[in-house]
């Protein structure tokens, strides 16, 4: 397994290299002068030239990339063109909120999706199964921003409640933190639950058709033991796969929810940087998200062997 982990970590190099080249080139082929975007149309030619020199924008593109990557390899993601702050500490600070939002959303998704998926599989083709499939379809189909807007209106009109503005860390004030995070987490969690619910149902149904399940039942095992100790454990591999993909996607895809709920997370940071043409922030954030996404996929692969000891890594 250690050799497998080492190989997967080595695969990070070409993946992150490709991501870095892609985002670096994309940001520089966007039409417009970044110096003029930052300083405004009233800026003098001297101030524009000075800004280009400060951030190396006057250098050939390959030289800009080499200098940027040289800094990244030493942990220096550069400075924001807008604020002058170091990029990496800002990314890590915003990432805490996005990670918490993703984690709570995933937990809500599992609490909703896995039990309902199991119930739908057990009561296949019944009214309960139809209802669960309808719920999962709604979860997949309803856009996050629409559900978020409706929930905000419902809570404001009928319960006189609106989520607090801003962000407070969980360890600073747990109660306020949960008040801020629970509504956006529920919106994201219900969207995740739809796909996980469908995968749970189909995976459980597939396992229940296997010969070893018939053998376990023939030995007189209780149905609860058959479902939870044997069927669910063997069905978790595809479920875990889709959960891992969803978590990785959410880490870089919460921008709309963060905007609606005014959460200063990583998605909002990237969106603001894109609109302001802040090259260094966008490049650093995208590279960081890609790194975390690959690590999550590695963790999911390692969990496969825990769920199924027959899986080996060579």
């Amino acid at each position: 397994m250690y050799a497998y982990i080492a190989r997967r970590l080595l695969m990070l190099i070409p993946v992150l290299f490709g991501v870095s080249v892609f985002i670096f080139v994309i940001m520089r082929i966007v039409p417009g002068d970044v110096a003029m975007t930052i300083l405004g149309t009233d800026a003098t030619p001297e101030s524009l030239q000075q800004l280009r020199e400060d951030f190396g924008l006057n250098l050939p593109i390959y030289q800009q990339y080499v200098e940027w990557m040289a800094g990244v390899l030493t942990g220096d993601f550069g400075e924001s063109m807008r604020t002058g702050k170091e990029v990496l500490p800002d990314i890590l600070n915003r990432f805490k909120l996005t990670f918490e939002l993703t984690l709570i959303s995933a937990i809500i998704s599992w609490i909703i999706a896995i039990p309902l998926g199991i119930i739908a599989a057990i009561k296949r083709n019944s009214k309960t199964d139809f209802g669960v499939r309808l719920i999962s379809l709604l979860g997949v189909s309803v856009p996050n921003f629409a559900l978020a807007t409706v929930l905000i209106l419902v809570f404001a009109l009928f319960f006189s409640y609106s989520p607090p503005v801003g962000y407070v860390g969980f360890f600073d004030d747990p109660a306020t933190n949960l008040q801020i995070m629970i509504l956006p987490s529920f919106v994201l969690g219900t969207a995740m639950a739809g796909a996980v619910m469908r995968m749970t149902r189909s995976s459980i149904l597939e396992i229940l058709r296997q010969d070893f399940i018939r053998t376990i039942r023939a030995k007189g095992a209780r149905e609860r033991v058959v479902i939870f100790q044997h069927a669910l454990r063997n069905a978790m591999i595809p479920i875990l796969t889709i959960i891992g993909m969803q978590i990785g996607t959410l880490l870089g895809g919460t921008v709309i929810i963060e905007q609606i709920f005014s959460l200063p997370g990583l998605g909002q940071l990237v969106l603001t940087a894109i609109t302001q043409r802040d090259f260094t922030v966008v490049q650093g954030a995208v590279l960081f998200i890609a790194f975390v996404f690959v690590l999550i996929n590695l963790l999911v692969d390692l969990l496969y062997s825990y769920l199924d000891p027959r899986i080996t890594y060579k």
Side-chain angles (χ1 to χ4, degrees):
M1 180 177 291
Y2 293 112
Y4 173 79
I5 294 174
R7 288 197 303 269
R8 287 294 301 269
L9 291 176
L10 286 174
M11 288 176 60
L12 276 172
I13 298 174
V15 171
L16 296 180
F17 173 74
V19 171
S20 66
V21 171
F22 177 78
I23 190 60
F24 191 88
V25 172
I26 285 294
M27 289 303 297
R28 278 156 179 78
I29 64 176
V30 174
D33 185 351
V34 62
M36 187 170 292
T37 302
I38 294 174
L39 296 179
T41 55
D42 297 332
T44 63
E46 291 78 12
S47 60
L48 292 172
Q49 182 62 26
Q50 183 62 48
L51 181 65
R52 296 188 186 102
E53 292 177 359
D54 291 342
F55 290 99
L57 299 176
N58 58 328
L59 300 175
I61 187 170
Y62 69 88
Q63 189 174 345
Q64 294 181 44
Y65 176 78
V66 170
E67 292 187 359
W68 175 59
M69 282 305 299
V72 168
L73 293 175
T74 61
D76 180 11
F77 280 45
E79 297 179 351
S80 169
M81 295 180 176
R82 283 281 180 176
T83 64
K85 296 180 180 178
E86 291 188 13
V87 171
L88 185 57
D90 202 14
I91 290 174
L92 295 176
N93 186 50
R94 298 292 191 101
F95 179 71
K96 291 187 294 184
L97 185 150
T98 301
F99 179 76
E100 182 186 354
L101 180 62
T102 300
L103 182 61
I104 298 175
S105 302
I107 293 172
I108 291 174
S109 169
W110 304 336
I111 292 173
I112 296 172
I114 294 179
L116 289 180
I118 294 172
I119 292 171
I122 295 173
K123 299 185 177 183
R124 183 186 179 191
N125 295 329
S126 66
K127 292 181 180 179
T128 302
D129 181 25
F130 176 78
V132 171
R133 283 188 286 171
L134 179 61
I135 293 171
S136 68
L137 183 61
L138 289 173
V140 173
S141 304
V142 176
N144 289 338
F145 67 88
L147 180 59
T149 305
V150 170
L151 286 179
I152 290 173
L153 289 174
V154 168
F155 276 89
L157 293 175
F158 295 98
F159 302 99
S160 300
Y161 170 82
S162 60
V165 177
Y167 175 71
V168 177
F170 178 79
F171 296 104
D172 297 327
D173 189 345
T176 304
N177 174 268
L178 292 178
Q179 288 181 16
I180 295 170
M181 302 298 291
I182 193 64
L183 201 55
S185 297
F186 179 78
V187 171
L188 291 173
T190 51
M192 292 176 62
V196 176
M197 202 182 302
R198 298 174 71 177
M199 180 59 71
T200 302
R201 177 185 179 275
S202 61
S203 298
I204 292 290
L205 285 175
E206 181 65 27
I207 296 299
L208 290 177
R209 299 190 187 102
Q210 301 295 320
D211 291 337
F212 78 93
I213 294 293
R214 299 191 190 97
T215 302
I216 293 170
R217 283 173 169 163
K219 290 181 177 180
R222 295 181 179 180
E223 190 66 14
R224 182 181 301 175
V225 174
V226 173
I227 297 297
F228 290 100
Q229 292 189 12
H230 299 281
L232 181 59
R233 185 182 179 93
N234 285 275
M236 279 302 296
I237 289 181
I239 298 171
L240 184 63
T241 301
I242 194 170
I243 287 174
M245 293 179 62
Q246 286 182 329
I247 291 176
T249 303
L250 276 183
L251 288 174
T254 59
V255 57
I256 296 177
I257 296 302
E258 289 178 1
Q259 285 291 108
I260 292 175
F261 290 93
S262 301
L263 296 174
L266 189 56
Q268 191 181 76
L269 175 68
V270 174
L271 180 62
T272 303
I274 291 173
T275 57
Q276 296 179 345
R277 300 288 299 279
D278 198 340
F279 288 173
T280 50
V281 173
V282 177
Q283 293 164 184
V286 171
L287 193 63
F288 179 81
I289 291 170
F291 175 76
V292 175
F293 192 95
V294 174
L295 288 184
I296 289 173
N297 284 330
L298 173 59
L299 178 61
V300 169
D301 287 347
L302 295 178
L303 287 174
Y304 289 161
S305 62
Y306 172 76
L307 294 172
D308 189 347
R310 295 172 298 178
I311 296 176
T312 59
Y313 299 98
K314 297 181 180 179

mmCIF file of all heavy atoms in Angstrom, residues 1-18 73 290-291 294-295 298:
data_model
loop_
_atom_site.group_PDB
_atom_site.id
_atom_site.type_symbol
_atom_site.label_atom_id
_atom_site.label_comp_id
_atom_site.label_asym_id
_atom_site.label_seq_id
_atom_site.Cartn_x
_atom_site.Cartn_y
_atom_site.Cartn_z
ATOM 1 N N MET A 1 0.818 -1.207 0.000
ATOM 2 C CA MET A 1 0.000 0.000 0.000
ATOM 3 C C MET A 1 0.858 1.265 0.000
ATOM 4 O O MET A 1 0.513 2.256 -0.625
ATOM 5 C CB MET A 1 -0.951 -0.004 1.196
ATOM 6 C CG MET A 1 -1.841 1.232 1.268
ATOM 7 S SD MET A 1 -3.022 1.201 2.614
ATOM 8 C CE MET A 1 -4.115 -0.084 2.054
ATOM 9 N N TYR A 2 1.971 1.218 0.733
ATOM 10 C CA TYR A 2 2.843 2.397 0.782
ATOM 11 C C TYR A 2 3.389 2.731 -0.606
ATOM 12 O O TYR A 2 3.522 3.895 -0.974
ATOM 13 C CB TYR A 2 3.974 2.167 1.778
ATOM 14 C CG TYR A 2 3.498 2.083 3.204
ATOM 15 C CD1 TYR A 2 3.574 0.889 3.911
ATOM 16 C CD2 TYR A 2 2.953 3.187 3.837
ATOM 17 C CE1 TYR A 2 3.127 0.803 5.222
ATOM 18 C CE2 TYR A 2 2.499 3.112 5.149
ATOM 19 C CZ TYR A 2 2.590 1.922 5.835
ATOM 20 O OH TYR A 2 2.137 1.852 7.120
ATOM 21 N N ALA A 3 3.702 1.680 -1.378
ATOM 22 C CA ALA A 3 4.186 1.909 -2.738
ATOM 23 C C ALA A 3 3.084 2.528 -3.595
ATOM 24 O O ALA A 3 3.340 3.422 -4.419
ATOM 25 C CB ALA A 3 4.668 0.596 -3.354
ATOM 26 N N TYR A 4 1.850 2.068 -3.386
ATOM 27 C CA TYR A 4 0.717 2.625 -4.134
ATOM 28 C C TYR A 4 0.502 4.092 -3.790
ATOM 29 O O TYR A 4 0.299 4.926 -4.677
ATOM 30 C CB TYR A 4 -0.544 1.814 -3.820
ATOM 31 C CG TYR A 4 -1.807 2.395 -4.415
ATOM 32 C CD1 TYR A 4 -2.108 2.210 -5.755
ATOM 33 C CD2 TYR A 4 -2.692 3.137 -3.630
ATOM 34 C CE1 TYR A 4 -3.267 2.737 -6.301
ATOM 35 C CE2 TYR A 4 -3.848 3.664 -4.170
ATOM 36 C CZ TYR A 4 -4.132 3.466 -5.503
ATOM 37 O OH TYR A 4 -5.271 3.998 -6.045
ATOM 38 N N ILE A 5 0.576 4.413 -2.492
ATOM 39 C CA ILE A 5 0.417 5.810 -2.073
ATOM 40 C C ILE A 5 1.510 6.676 -2.677
ATOM 41 O O ILE A 5 1.261 7.795 -3.146
ATOM 42 C CB ILE A 5 0.422 5.901 -0.533
ATOM 43 C CG1 ILE A 5 -0.807 5.205 0.048
ATOM 44 C CG2 ILE A 5 0.456 7.363 -0.084
ATOM 45 C CD1 ILE A 5 -0.804 5.121 1.561
ATOM 46 N N ALA A 6 2.738 6.145 -2.687
ATOM 47 C CA ALA A 6 3.858 6.907 -3.264
ATOM 48 C C ALA A 6 3.631 7.164 -4.748
ATOM 49 O O ALA A 6 3.882 8.275 -5.246
ATOM 50 C CB ALA A 6 5.162 6.149 -3.040
ATOM 51 N N ARG A 7 3.141 6.143 -5.462
ATOM 52 C CA ARG A 7 2.878 6.324 -6.904
ATOM 53 C C ARG A 7 1.779 7.359 -7.132
ATOM 54 O O ARG A 7 1.876 8.196 -8.036
ATOM 55 C CB ARG A 7 2.485 4.988 -7.540
ATOM 56 C CG ARG A 7 3.626 4.001 -7.682
ATOM 57 C CD ARG A 7 3.285 2.897 -8.666
ATOM 58 N NE ARG A 7 2.070 2.184 -8.279
ATOM 59 C CZ ARG A 7 2.063 1.105 -7.504
ATOM 60 N NH1 ARG A 7 3.207 0.644 -7.009
ATOM 61 N NH2 ARG A 7 0.930 0.495 -7.211
ATOM 62 N N ARG A 8 0.734 7.290 -6.322
ATOM 63 C CA ARG A 8 -0.361 8.254 -6.480
ATOM 64 C C ARG A 8 0.102 9.672 -6.163
ATOM 65 O O ARG A 8 -0.321 10.636 -6.822
ATOM 66 C CB ARG A 8 -1.529 7.865 -5.571
ATOM 67 C CG ARG A 8 -2.295 6.645 -6.039
ATOM 68 C CD ARG A 8 -3.023 6.916 -7.348
ATOM 69 N NE ARG A 8 -3.956 8.009 -7.210
ATOM 70 C CZ ARG A 8 -5.244 7.849 -6.860
ATOM 71 N NH1 ARG A 8 -5.714 6.640 -6.625
ATOM 72 N NH2 ARG A 8 -6.039 8.890 -6.741
ATOM 73 N N LEU A 9 0.942 9.811 -5.172
ATOM 74 C CA LEU A 9 1.458 11.147 -4.850
ATOM 75 C C LEU A 9 2.348 11.664 -5.969
ATOM 76 O O LEU A 9 2.351 12.869 -6.270
ATOM 77 C CB LEU A 9 2.220 11.112 -3.526
ATOM 78 C CG LEU A 9 1.354 10.884 -2.277
ATOM 79 C CD1 LEU A 9 2.234 10.783 -1.040
ATOM 80 C CD2 LEU A 9 0.323 12.002 -2.104
ATOM 81 N N LEU A 10 3.096 10.762 -6.601
ATOM 82 C CA LEU A 10 3.922 11.181 -7.737
ATOM 83 C C LEU A 10 3.058 11.625 -8.911
ATOM 84 O O LEU A 10 3.452 12.493 -9.697
ATOM 85 C CB LEU A 10 4.851 10.041 -8.169
ATOM 86 C CG LEU A 10 6.037 9.761 -7.248
ATOM 87 C CD1 LEU A 10 6.801 8.515 -7.719
ATOM 88 C CD2 LEU A 10 6.980 10.963 -7.199
ATOM 89 N N MET A 11 1.860 11.018 -9.016
ATOM 90 C CA MET A 11 0.941 11.420 -10.093
ATOM 91 C C MET A 11 0.436 12.841 -9.895
ATOM 92 O O MET A 11 -0.089 13.457 -10.833
ATOM 93 C CB MET A 11 -0.240 10.451 -10.158
ATOM 94 C CG MET A 11 0.108 9.074 -10.705
ATOM 95 S SD MET A 11 -1.302 7.946 -10.656
ATOM 96 C CE MET A 11 -2.483 8.823 -11.686
ATOM 97 N N LEU A 12 0.569 13.357 -8.679
ATOM 98 C CA LEU A 12 0.187 14.750 -8.434
ATOM 99 C C LEU A 12 0.982 15.713 -9.309
ATOM 100 O O LEU A 12 0.467 16.754 -9.720
ATOM 101 C CB LEU A 12 0.431 15.105 -6.961
ATOM 102 C CG LEU A 12 -0.642 14.759 -5.948
ATOM 103 C CD1 LEU A 12 -0.128 15.007 -4.543
ATOM 104 C CD2 LEU A 12 -1.901 15.577 -6.198
ATOM 105 N N ILE A 13 2.234 15.346 -9.575
ATOM 106 C CA ILE A 13 3.118 16.270 -10.295
ATOM 107 C C ILE A 13 2.588 16.598 -11.687
ATOM 108 O O ILE A 13 2.391 17.776 -12.010
ATOM 109 C CB ILE A 13 4.553 15.704 -10.347
ATOM 110 C CG1 ILE A 13 5.111 15.563 -8.928
ATOM 111 C CG2 ILE A 13 5.453 16.597 -11.200
ATOM 112 C CD1 ILE A 13 6.460 14.888 -8.859
ATOM 113 N N PRO A 14 2.321 15.590 -12.566
ATOM 114 C CA PRO A 14 1.793 15.952 -13.891
ATOM 115 C C PRO A 14 0.402 16.571 -13.852
ATOM 116 O O PRO A 14 0.087 17.446 -14.648
ATOM 117 C CB PRO A 14 1.789 14.615 -14.649
ATOM 118 C CG PRO A 14 1.800 13.568 -13.598
ATOM 119 C CD PRO A 14 2.576 14.142 -12.453
ATOM 120 N N VAL A 15 -0.431 16.120 -12.883
ATOM 121 C CA VAL A 15 -1.787 16.683 -12.793
ATOM 122 C C VAL A 15 -1.735 18.168 -12.435
ATOM 123 O O VAL A 15 -2.359 19.008 -13.098
ATOM 124 C CB VAL A 15 -2.625 15.910 -11.748
ATOM 125 C CG1 VAL A 15 -3.939 16.632 -11.486
ATOM 126 C CG2 VAL A 15 -2.887 14.489 -12.221
ATOM 127 N N LEU A 16 -0.999 18.490 -11.392
ATOM 128 C CA LEU A 16 -0.905 19.886 -10.965
ATOM 129 C C LEU A 16 -0.163 20.736 -11.988
ATOM 130 O O LEU A 16 -0.475 21.917 -12.158
ATOM 131 C CB LEU A 16 -0.221 19.975 -9.597
ATOM 132 C CG LEU A 16 -0.983 19.320 -8.443
ATOM 133 C CD1 LEU A 16 -0.208 19.473 -7.145
ATOM 134 C CD2 LEU A 16 -2.376 19.916 -8.307
ATOM 135 N N PHE A 17 0.805 20.140 -12.678
ATOM 136 C CA PHE A 17 1.499 20.875 -13.736
ATOM 137 C C PHE A 17 0.517 21.251 -14.849
ATOM 138 O O PHE A 17 0.501 22.393 -15.328
ATOM 139 C CB PHE A 17 2.643 20.039 -14.306
ATOM 140 C CG PHE A 17 3.306 20.649 -15.509
ATOM 141 C CD1 PHE A 17 4.148 21.741 -15.385
ATOM 142 C CD2 PHE A 17 3.063 20.139 -16.782
ATOM 143 C CE1 PHE A 17 4.750 22.315 -16.501
ATOM 144 C CE2 PHE A 17 3.650 20.697 -17.898
ATOM 145 C CZ PHE A 17 4.496 21.794 -17.757
ATOM 146 N N GLY A 18 -0.306 20.283 -15.254
ATOM 147 C CA GLY A 18 -1.289 20.572 -16.297
ATOM 148 C C GLY A 18 -2.290 21.622 -15.869
ATOM 149 O O GLY A 18 -2.636 22.523 -16.648
ATOM 150 N N LEU A 73 6.624 26.366 -5.626
ATOM 151 C CA LEU A 73 7.381 25.219 -5.115
ATOM 152 C C LEU A 73 8.017 25.503 -3.762
ATOM 153 O O LEU A 73 8.362 24.578 -3.022
ATOM 154 C CB LEU A 73 8.452 24.811 -6.127
ATOM 155 C CG LEU A 73 7.920 24.238 -7.458
ATOM 156 C CD1 LEU A 73 9.067 23.979 -8.425
ATOM 157 C CD2 LEU A 73 7.117 22.961 -7.218
ATOM 158 N N ALA A 290 -7.291 22.007 -6.887
ATOM 159 C CA ALA A 290 -6.912 20.791 -7.615
ATOM 160 C C ALA A 290 -6.104 19.854 -6.723
ATOM 161 O O ALA A 290 -6.302 18.622 -6.746
ATOM 162 C CB ALA A 290 -6.096 21.161 -8.854
ATOM 163 N N PHE A 291 -5.205 20.405 -5.930
ATOM 164 C CA PHE A 291 -4.398 19.598 -5.010
ATOM 165 C C PHE A 291 -5.287 18.880 -3.998
ATOM 166 O O PHE A 291 -5.137 17.667 -3.770
ATOM 167 C CB PHE A 291 -3.388 20.509 -4.299
ATOM 168 C CG PHE A 291 -2.581 19.821 -3.243
ATOM 169 C CD1 PHE A 291 -1.542 18.972 -3.587
ATOM 170 C CD2 PHE A 291 -2.849 20.026 -1.904
ATOM 171 C CE1 PHE A 291 -0.793 18.328 -2.618
ATOM 172 C CE2 PHE A 291 -2.108 19.394 -0.920
ATOM 173 C CZ PHE A 291 -1.074 18.539 -1.279
ATOM 174 N N VAL A 294 -7.374 15.993 -5.631
ATOM 175 C CA VAL A 294 -6.607 14.770 -5.872
ATOM 176 C C VAL A 294 -6.379 14.008 -4.569
ATOM 177 O O VAL A 294 -6.460 12.771 -4.536
ATOM 178 C CB VAL A 294 -5.261 15.104 -6.552
ATOM 179 C CG1 VAL A 294 -4.394 13.854 -6.668
ATOM 180 C CG2 VAL A 294 -5.488 15.696 -7.936
ATOM 181 N N LEU A 295 -6.100 14.720 -3.487
ATOM 182 C CA LEU A 295 -5.907 14.050 -2.186
ATOM 183 C C LEU A 295 -7.186 13.353 -1.721
ATOM 184 O O LEU A 295 -7.127 12.256 -1.146
ATOM 185 C CB LEU A 295 -5.454 15.070 -1.143
ATOM 186 C CG LEU A 295 -4.030 15.602 -1.277
ATOM 187 C CD1 LEU A 295 -3.709 16.534 -0.117
ATOM 188 C CD2 LEU A 295 -3.008 14.470 -1.336
ATOM 189 N N LEU A 298 -7.525 10.149 -3.558
ATOM 190 C CA LEU A 298 -6.601 9.161 -3.007
ATOM 191 C C LEU A 298 -7.165 8.553 -1.729
ATOM 192 O O LEU A 298 -7.110 7.330 -1.530
ATOM 193 C CB LEU A 298 -5.250 9.824 -2.729
ATOM 194 C CG LEU A 298 -4.211 8.963 -1.999
ATOM 195 C CD1 LEU A 298 -3.890 7.706 -2.791
ATOM 196 C CD2 LEU A 298 -2.942 9.763 -1.736
#
